[in-house]
Structures are given as C-alpha cells and as structure tokens.
Amino acid sequence: MNERGRKRVLLGTVVSDKMDKSVVVEVERLVQHKVYKKYIKSHKKYTAHDETDECRIGDVVKITESRPLSKTKKFRVSEIVKKAI
C-alpha cells in the first residue's frame, strides 16, 4: 500500500451530484496492455465528500484520500480545478 501518512490525490470529473454533500468522480488513467504494449484508457468512479455542495456535473476536481466517511466514501473534494460551463 502507500507509505504511512501519504494520501492519494486524484484528478477527475464529476459525473453525479444528486446526493447531499457527496459527488461521484470519474478518474481516467492510461494503462499499458501487457501483450500489445498499447496504452488503453481505463475509468474508475469514486464517491467523494463535498462539504459545501459546490461541485456540479462536468467540474474537474482534485480528490484526496481520507478516513472512511461512510460505506463507500473514502475521499474528500480538496479543490475545484475547473468549473463546468
């Protein structure tokens, strides 16, 4: 796992803001294929805590790992990098 005291910081796009004080953030990363060595985009969705309920669908946000806040929430929105139009 990570070094002790190191928290993961991920950059992603908000895909859902229907919950109260929570958002779903989709993080996209490039993964190299084991055999063909071609880079493929892979996606993963994380549920993040948004205390101010400021995030909207399409916003690019930075999320930081934290202690478990609920069954699925283990990240917090640390900043909104780019607002959606």
Side-chain angles (χ1 to χ4, degrees), residues 26-37:
E26 186 175 61
V27 176
E28 186 179 283
R29 65 183 76 219
L30 289 175
V31 179
Q32 190 178 35
H33 193 280
K34 289 176 184 166
V35 176
Y36 300 116
K37 308 299 183 198

Side-chain angles (χ1 to χ4, degrees), residues 2-75:
N2 294 340
E3 291 178 34
R4 188 175 171 90
R6 275 263 168 143
K7 295 181 179 178
R8 288 191 298 162
V9 177
L10 304 171
L11 196 70
T13 309
V14 177
V15 291
S16 173
D17 62 348
K18 292 180 180 177
M19 295 173 277
D20 184 35
K21 294 189 178 183
S22 299
V23 289
V24 178
V25 179
E26 186 175 61
V27 176
E28 186 179 283
R29 65 183 76 219
L30 289 175
V31 179
Q32 190 178 35
H33 193 280
K34 289 176 184 166
V35 176
Y36 300 116
K37 308 299 183 198
K38 181 179 177 177
Y39 285 94
I40 304 162
K41 286 181 187 176
S42 70
H43 309 273
K44 186 162 182 186
K45 290 181 181 176
Y46 296 95
T47 309
H49 184 68
D50 179 22
E51 184 63 43
T52 57
D53 241 346
E54 215 175 292
C55 296
R56 296 290 163 247
I57 295 175
D59 289 355
V60 178
V61 294
K62 195 178 279 188
I63 57 174
T64 309
E65 194 173 31
S66 67
R67 65 179 176 81
L69 300 162
S70 72
K71 182 182 173 184
T72 57
K73 279 201 291 187
K74 286 149 184 77
F75 285 86

